[in-house]
Amino acid sequence: SALFAAGTGEEDPATWQNIVFARRRLTTGQRPLALSRYGSLGIGSHRAGIMFSGDAFQTWETLGYEIYSTPLHANALVGYLSHDIGGFHAFNGSGDGNATSAADSELYLRWIQFGAVAPIMRTHCSYCERRIWKFLDFDAMAHAFRLRDALVPLTYTLAQQASRTGVAIVRPTYYSSDEPEAYTSRNQYLFGPDVLASPISVAAAGPRREVNVTVFLPHASDGWSDWEAASRFAGSRSVTRAYGLAAIPLFVRR
């Protein structure tokens, strides 16, 4: 009866398939992870599969909410929340993945930058362009993909730790600090214990196409370093910086 969706009477084969896959992996000493739709049984059905945010609209608001909500899922042991990077559905005729549109290119770029420091990086959409070399901001997009590739050793290590501890790769800032600002700083999170990310989810402004981003750096005995500029900052403080199109707000615990 556990394989039936509550209140529907319909079978839920995804849950069963994920469990079978996971058990087979465990018998060979491997860590199971299924890139699959999660089951419809509610909390707990994510244990052997990956949850995803669905066919979301291509808007700045959607991107901002994904950045905000992804670390929160760590509280329910959902460590591999997957998104359609770039968004799936067009919204009111805009944001349709048009490679020749500066607005669409910038939105897709920022989504890719979020994907570079997200649990899963997977582009997807409905009848729209997702080949980054077609877009105006291709160079910045390629930079984000290279960062994702360079982070593989760290990501793999964090995934291995997550399999032992249950602590997700991406987790809220308050996992390492009980300071009030760690709870109220909305669009930032920890990528492992020592990297803090605050992906941009608003359009750039001005001729330099920059965005001012304020990040709260929790307490750290030796402070933090800015990923791009290598500037050093003390912990327990907020830092505001202007970021261009190719930059992702990232800080590393020293």
Side-chain angles (χ1 to χ4, degrees), residues 203-215:
R208 297 172 62 91
R209 298 183 72 186
E210 292 181 330
V211 176
N212 288 325
V213 177
T214 299
V215 176

Side-chain angles (χ1 to χ4, degrees), residues 184-198:
T184 58
S185 299
R186 179 181 173 95
N187 281 5
Q188 66 174 62
Y189 53 78
L190 292 168
F191 189 85
D194 298 319
V195 177
L196 189 142
S198 183

Side-chain angles (χ1 to χ4, degrees), residues 100-142:
T100 64
S101 165
D104 287 358
S105 184
E106 183 182 355
L107 175 58
Y108 186 30
L109 165 64
R110 296 305 191 188
W111 225 307
I112 288 173
Q113 290 174 343
F114 166 50
V117 286
I120 303 291
M121 188 175 189
R122 176 184 56 81
T123 62
H124 189 48
C125 68
S126 175
Y127 302 103
C128 53
E129 185 60 76
R130 283 292 171 258
R131 293 171 291 180
I132 65 172
W133 55 90
K134 296 284 188 178
F135 283 81
L136 300 176
D137 296 312
F138 163 67
D139 289 340
M141 293 176 181

Side-chain angles (χ1 to χ4, degrees), residues 51-110:
M51 297 186 72
F52 82 118
S53 56
D55 298 337
F57 287 116
Q58 299 164 22
T59 67
W60 288 101
E61 291 77 13
T62 299
L63 171 58
Y65 188 78
E66 289 183 358
I67 294 170
Y68 162 72
S69 63
T70 298
L72 298 184
H73 282 71
N75 295 331
L77 297 180
V78 182
Y80 296 95
L81 179 62
S82 178
H83 305 288
D84 294 342
I85 296 299
F88 186 80
H89 290 299
F91 185 72
N92 292 337
S94 63
D96 61 357
N98 178 3
T100 64
S101 165
D104 287 358
S105 184
E106 183 182 355
L107 175 58
Y108 186 30
L109 165 64
R110 296 305 191 188

